[in-house]
Structure formats: structure tokens, C-alpha cells
Amino acid sequence: MKGTNLGEFEELVLLCIAALVSDAYSVAICDELSKHTGRTVRLGIVHAVLNRLEEKGLVNSRLGEATNTRGGKRKRFYEVTHAGKASLLKAKDAREALWRIIPGFNLEGSI
């Protein structure tokens, strides 16, 4: 397993996989990322990140059943592993710790 440090986009992809539960496949992940970040998300980039996350042991994938609507092609579904969950929690804790130490910085009501 490679390192478990997450880049920002890797973290977002992992969070989408966790949120989509059993329906986490590349197109759904792209849609979810676009919806919540307002970014234009390219499928090829998401595929590269999914491969990298799998190499790191942070996600597992499996092939679904072939469907007529996809011309007999099978979707690859992803799920967050225990190591992936631990990496997400580590990233969340680090972000929260940093937010807490900013002196006099209060976001309440400022947006």
C-alpha cells in the first residue's frame, strides 16, 4: 500500500464514494462532485484518482452486472476501505484542528 496522505481532490472523491454508498461509480461520482463543488469535473481525471486511491488501498472496486441500457457493459463500483475511512478521519481532524487555532476568526454569520 502506498502512502495514505490525501490530496484535496482525492479527499473529495473519497467523500463522494462514502456518500453514494452502493451507487458509487465514476459517472455518479463526477455528478456528485460537480453538484457539491460547482467545479467542472472530467471523467478521465476521476478515473485516474480512483485508480490511485485503489493503489493506496483506500478504496476497493467491483464490477456490477451488465445492463442493456449500457449496451451490455458493466459498471465498476467503488467502496471506501477501512484505511480510506481512517484517512478521511485523519484529514477531517487536521482541518478542524487548524480551523480552531485561527485567532479571532469566526465564520458564524459572515457569509
Side-chain angles (χ1 to χ4, degrees):
M1 174 174 79
K2 289 186 178 183
T4 56
N5 287 332
L6 295 174
E8 178 199 8
F9 197 69
E10 289 177 326
E11 183 179 352
L12 291 172
V13 169
L14 264 180
L15 288 167
C16 285
I17 294 168
L20 289 166
V21 191
S22 61
D23 200 33
Y25 63 98
S26 58
V27 173
I29 293 165
C30 281
D31 291 345
E32 201 71 11
L33 282 167
S34 293
K35 175 179 160 186
H36 291 285
T37 66
R39 294 181 182 182
T40 299
V41 180
R42 297 175 70 168
L43 190 57
I45 301 298
V46 170
H47 279 277
V49 169
L50 289 168
N51 288 334
R52 192 164 56 244
L53 291 172
E54 196 159 25
E55 286 174 11
K56 288 182 174 185
L58 303 178
V59 299
N60 287 327
S61 69
R62 64 173 174 75
L63 285 174
E65 297 299 317
T67 62
N68 290 335
T69 57
R70 293 178 43 88
K73 293 183 181 179
R74 299 164 69 180
K75 290 180 187 175
R76 181 167 294 278
F77 291 93
Y78 294 86
E79 66 179 356
V80 179
T81 64
H82 178 71
K85 290 175 187 174
S87 288
L88 282 173
L89 289 171
K90 180 180 171 186
K92 179 179 180 276
D93 290 345
R95 287 179 189 265
E96 287 176 351
L98 288 167
W99 277 105
R100 283 191 300 272
I101 65 169
I102 300 173
F105 194 72
N106 183 355
L107 289 177
E108 295 295 321
S110 64
I111 296 178

